[in-house]
Amino acid sequence: MSSKTTPLHFNAFVMNTASHIHHGQWRRPDAGQTEFNDVNTWIDLAKLLEAAKFDAMFFADVSGLYGDADADFDVYVTEGLQIPSNDPTVLLSALAVHTEHIGLALTSNVAQNHPFNFARQLSTLDHISNGRIAWNIVTGVQDNGARNFGLPKLTDHAERYEWAEEYVDVTYKLWEGSWDDDALIKDRERGVFSDPSKIHKIHHVGKRYRVEGPHLPSPSPQRTPLLYQAGSSESGRRFAARNAEATFIIAPSPAIAAELIADTRRLAVSYGRNPDDIKFFQGLSFVIGDTQEEAEAKALEYEQYVSVDGYSAHSAIVDKTGRVYAADTPLKDVDTNTAKGFVEWVSQHITDREPIVADLALSRSRDTRIVGTPESIADTIAEWQAAGVDGINVINWVIPGSFAEFADKVLPVLRARGLAQSEYSEGTLRQKLFGQSLINDRHPAARYRGAFSDGSPISQTYVEPIEAKS
Ligand SMILES: Cc1cc2nc3c(=O)[nH]c(=O)nc-3n(C[C@H](O)[C@H](O)[C@H](O)COP(=O)(O)O)c2cc1C
């Protein structure tokens, strides 16, 4: 079913590191991502994106190293594969003060921050940015990323999503229920800064957390930041259907995206939400030429920089000791239990010779890559919209070049077709996407509005009701 979203939304998909997705490209002379430690790299990019009317900068993040935590991690360090990396939560405060309209989205998983303090950080950022913050809710993907927070390894998949449900429940209570709208008074005459009868403890007691409250920040412009989610398994889709206002997907084709979108929207309705309470953002990268031949030639040039080790390591095509296979290793000799389906898929598509590991890397670098002229790229983007996609997360090869080129060459064609905005609409990030600043009444966070005002325990998800302390 075609998306009703016109114009589409466009986010710049980035990470505060040198080698985020397209590994090896940091070696190019025009790769500014090597200077990720310089805040001006990101401030300049934010200004470029805002001038081009991108909807948001969308920062990925991880809390550790990829691969088996007991395995060798040399390849990640050699490749700069998401290490070193800096914390997007801190960086976004700098970007907020240098921009006015563009949304600022950060990824954080349920292990890397305690929900009480994380809710406080996001409220602070939402105040600083005047309501432009979004949170990409992820459950984590790394054993090391879990071990850095005291866990023995990555929590099992289903339990990670149960954990995420309680995590967001705590944040919803803090963001939506702890402060009434008129609690902050600042009455110099009477010497009353806030009204204590309008600020409430949340008394959360759950399987993983005990959080008394109240929330320390006063309500920010959005209260609950715009909520993204990334994760497309059955559990991932159910979590998104209950909690996400936007989900980030990397479907291999518009047809598969259409199935994923229809299923998630159907689930959202079963949870009492509307189908269009969720917007879907597809990750795509672009190689742009004034002619198709020029675009193809540029694609070959990018492929000269492809790091087989980088893509192999990121796709967990590693042996038991964590070492990547040599590029000329026949795929039949690859022993992996994490990417078996991908290895088999690539093998099926190479029939004229023995498929090797280098073919996997090349296939990864071409995943959801569109090579063409601005017009042909706009045609393809329209096909994703027809599949139900509401926005595109633009994946870069180089910073800022990939975004500057997309802004200069493709966005004008999309604007002429009504597929990209020419101006920002007023208001907060949620106002721009959904026409209202606060999360809608169909979302589970809304049930906590006013829920603690009389101090009585409320029907709480994932926690036993407790006698609210008088
Ligand atoms: C498009 C996309 C982007 C993701 N980005 C991140 C990320 O930045 N950090 C992270 O820890 N996990 C990230 N993930 C992993 C998911 O959060 C999730 O933990 C993982 O996909 C397992 O969920 P699933 O089995 O439901 O897909 C991403 C997943 C997808 C599909």
Side-chain angles (χ1 to χ4, degrees):
M1 183 180 92
S2 181
S3 164
K4 297 177 196 157
T5 302
T6 299
L8 290 167
H9 302 294
F10 290 90
N11 296 339
F13 184 47
V14 291
M15 184 170 171
N16 198 348
T17 189
S19 192
H20 170 206
I21 298 286
H22 285 309
H23 304 299
Q25 301 301 329
W26 67 267
R27 296 171 52 221
R28 291 172 55 101
D30 59 347
Q33 58 263 37
T34 54
E35 305 316 308
F36 67 94
N37 277 330
D38 179 349
V39 70
N40 291 307
T41 298
W42 300 107
I43 291 170
D44 295 346
L45 177 61
K47 289 177 176 175
L48 180 157
L49 295 167
E50 186 160 76
K53 310 296 187 283
F54 271 75
D55 290 84
M57 287 178 91
F58 187 111
F59 279 85
D61 194 37
V62 288
S63 56
L65 296 168
Y66 287 89
D68 183 321
D70 298 319
D72 183 285
F73 63 86
D74 292 8
V75 63
Y76 305 103
V77 171
T78 309
E79 290 292 329
L81 201 168
Q82 301 186 18
I83 179 173
S85 72
N86 297 325
D87 182 342
T89 318
V90 180
L91 176 63
L92 259 53
S93 56
L95 303 186
V97 297
H98 286 272
T99 55
E100 194 181 341
H101 302 288
I102 194 166
L104 299 166
L106 65 89
T107 299
S108 182
N109 73 51
V110 296
Q112 70 185 103
N113 290 295
H114 185 284
F116 178 80
N117 201 51
F118 182 67
R120 185 182 187 209
Q121 287 176 319
L122 288 207
S123 292
T124 305
L125 282 169
D126 204 46
H127 278 302
I128 292 171
S129 64
N130 200 17
R132 292 184 282 138
I133 296 301
W135 170 30
N136 177 30
I137 310 166
V138 295
T139 60
V141 285
Q142 305 159 321
D143 281 333
N144 175 258
R147 283 188 178 176
N148 289 331
F149 296 91
L151 298 171
K153 62 180 185 60
L154 185 63
T155 306
D156 291 345
H157 189 268
E159 191 183 343
R160 284 207 315 269
Y161 276 104
E162 184 191 324
W163 180 357
E165 287 286 0
E166 184 184 355
Y167 192 105
V168 295
D169 207 43
V170 175
T171 62
Y172 297 163
K173 290 172 181 173
L174 293 166
W175 284 326
E176 296 296 327
S178 184
W179 282 64
D180 297 350
D181 284 337
D182 50 354
L184 197 59
I185 300 172
K186 302 183 192 175
D187 185 331
R188 287 186 169 84
E189 292 301 311
R190 291 190 301 140
V192 178
F193 195 78
S194 298
D195 179 345
S197 70
K198 297 185 174 180
I199 299 166
H200 315 289
K201 293 185 174 181
I202 67 167
H203 297 294
H204 177 92
V205 174
K207 182 176 174 184
R208 290 180 176 273
Y209 300 109
R210 297 177 73 89
V211 178
E212 184 173 55
H215 193 40
L216 295 181
S218 58
S220 67
Q222 296 184 116
R223 279 183 173 261
T224 298
L226 187 75
L227 299 174
Y228 274 90
Q229 180 269 353
S232 37
S233 65
E234 166 75 20
S235 306
R237 291 203 300 277
R238 286 190 177 281
F239 181 85
R242 273 192 295 272
N243 297 288
E245 297 172 276
T247 79
F248 179 14
I249 60 175
I250 298 193
S253 70
I256 293 175
E259 288 170 22
L260 179 63
I261 290 167
D263 185 44
T264 309
R265 291 195 196 284
R266 179 186 57 77
L267 285 168
V269 172
S270 73
Y271 294 128
R273 302 178 72 195
N274 287 349
D276 54 5
D277 281 348
I278 305 177
K279 292 188 183 288
F280 292 81
F281 285 73
Q282 167 69 21
L284 294 173
S285 49
F286 302 92
V287 180
I288 307 162
D290 292 335
T291 64
Q292 189 63 32
E293 294 69 28
E294 183 191 318
E296 300 288 351
K298 286 174 75 171
L300 286 176
E301 192 199 326
Y302 280 118
E303 290 183 357
Q304 303 309 310
Y305 288 91
V306 161
S307 164
V308 176
D309 286 359
Y311 285 98
S312 295
H314 199 178
S315 308
I317 310 291
V318 292
D319 66 21
K320 295 295 180 221
T321 65
R323 292 192 176 281
V324 290
Y325 290 92
D328 60 357
T329 306
L331 286 189
K332 63 181 174 34
D333 298 340
V334 169
D335 173 19
T336 168
N337 57 8
T338 51
K340 200 176 288 300
F342 175 49
V343 170
E344 287 161 4
W345 184 82
V346 172
S347 302
Q348 286 157 15
H349 284 75
I350 297 174
T351 51
D352 60 342
R353 58 178 169 78
E354 180 72 59
I356 57 174
V357 165
D359 296 313
L360 285 175
L362 221 42
S363 172
R364 270 282 185 250
S365 77
R366 295 168 179 168
D367 276 354
T368 65
R369 178 190 75 175
I370 300 173
V371 179
T373 63
E375 292 71 17
S376 68
I377 287 173
D379 294 343
T380 307
I381 288 173
E383 289 168 20
W384 285 96
Q385 182 191 41
V389 161
D390 302 289
I392 304 296
N393 269 12
V394 178
I395 302 169
N396 69 82
W397 304 92
V398 292
I399 288 175
S402 297
F403 298 115
E405 203 175 20
F406 188 83
D408 292 345
K409 298 192 170 177
V410 180
L411 281 179
V413 176
L414 292 168
R415 284 193 200 102
R417 299 186 188 187
L419 289 175
Q421 67 184 359
S422 301
E423 286 304 332
Y424 286 110
S425 52
E426 284 311 307
T428 65
L429 181 55
R430 182 176 286 112
Q431 184 87 34
K432 289 178 168 71
L433 265 73
F434 290 99
Q436 61 184 73
S437 266
L438 298 184
I439 206 157
N440 73 42
D441 293 339
R442 295 176 297 279
H443 189 278
R447 80 171 130 226
Y448 293 123
R449 285 179 189 140
F452 303 102
S453 299
D454 61 6
S456 59
I458 53 163
S459 64
Q460 305 188 27
T461 323
Y462 296 97
V463 291
E464 301 72 40
I466 54 169
E467 285 308 312
K469 296 193 183 78
S470 53

